[in-house]
Amino acid sequence: MRKERETIFLNALEENQEKLFRICSIYSEDEEDAKDLFQEVLVNVWRSMSTFKGNSSIGTWMFRVTLNICLRFNSKYNKNQNRFIRLDSMTISNFGSEENSEEENEKLKTLRKCVKKLNDGDKAIVALYLEGLVYREISSVLGLSENHVAVKIKRIKSKLLNCINEIL
């Protein structure tokens, strides 16, 4: 049983680790914080494996756990105080890659700054959207209706584009 759980965990992690790390980076101030948060996520996902009932895909469940940990971290942080991104016509891939032009990297940095300015709920929605989850999956992770997710994404896109235009 433990070996089976370990295999499921490792397979799901291999498939989702980059996406989960990018979500952690949205809720972190720098790369080191993102790595620490990702470690916390992995520990919690492993500990919670026995609670996974299979009502959704393991990836969707991992996103839910990741967002809960990130939101908890962000809440504590506030009290104490790159690979593929798509936003309508803006497509920037392989962040930090030498293949990207300096302009593309600047656009990505600007987008990240604007995402970090969003409230926690909007940040969670846009993080999942930018990872390519469809509305149905986002609604499953966050417990919202698909229609509500669609409306929120439209509003978030508008906020992000306004923010990007202000910065640029």
Side-chain angles (χ1 to χ4, degrees), residues 45-98:
V45 166
W46 174 251
R47 285 183 184 158
S48 303
M49 282 295 293
S50 62
T51 67
F52 177 65
K53 294 176 177 45
N55 296 336
S56 63
S57 74
I58 186 90
T60 300
W61 177 79
M62 290 175 88
F63 281 121
R64 187 178 300 128
V65 172
T66 300
L67 284 171
N68 285 334
I69 299 303
C70 289
L71 291 170
R72 190 176 328 134
F73 169 82
N74 203 27
S75 175
K76 287 179 185 177
Y77 180 81
N78 287 337
K79 286 179 184 175
N80 295 331
Q81 226 61 40
N82 316 4
R83 300 208 9 184
F84 181 82
I85 293 185
R86 179 187 76 235
L87 182 61
D88 285 344
S89 64
M90 184 185 303
T91 302
I92 304 172
S93 60
N94 296 327
F95 172 62
S97 169
E98 294 176 17

Side-chain angles (χ1 to χ4, degrees), residues 24 27-28 33-41 69-70 73:
C24 291
Y27 288 91
S28 305
D33 282 347
K35 288 177 183 176
D36 290 344
L37 186 54
F38 182 66
Q39 281 295 111
E40 186 70 22
V41 165
I69 299 303
C70 289
F73 169 82

Side-chain angles (χ1 to χ4, degrees), residues 125 134-136 138-140 142 144-154:
I125 291 170
V134 296
Y135 294 173
R136 180 180 25 80
I138 295 171
S139 69
S140 175
L142 299 176
L144 303 171
S145 71
E146 284 185 57
N147 190 48
H148 189 76
V149 168
V151 170
K152 294 289 283 178
I153 287 174
K154 184 176 180 174

Side-chain angles (χ1 to χ4, degrees), residues 105-133:
N105 285 332
E106 281 305 310
K107 286 180 181 178
L108 180 59
K109 288 178 185 175
T110 302
L111 177 59
R112 285 190 175 184
K113 281 181 193 175
C114 291
V115 168
K116 287 181 182 267
K117 291 179 181 181
L118 296 172
N119 66 45
D120 287 341
D122 288 352
K123 220 183 276 188
I125 291 170
V126 79
L128 296 173
Y129 176 76
L130 292 173
E131 288 303 333
L133 273 70

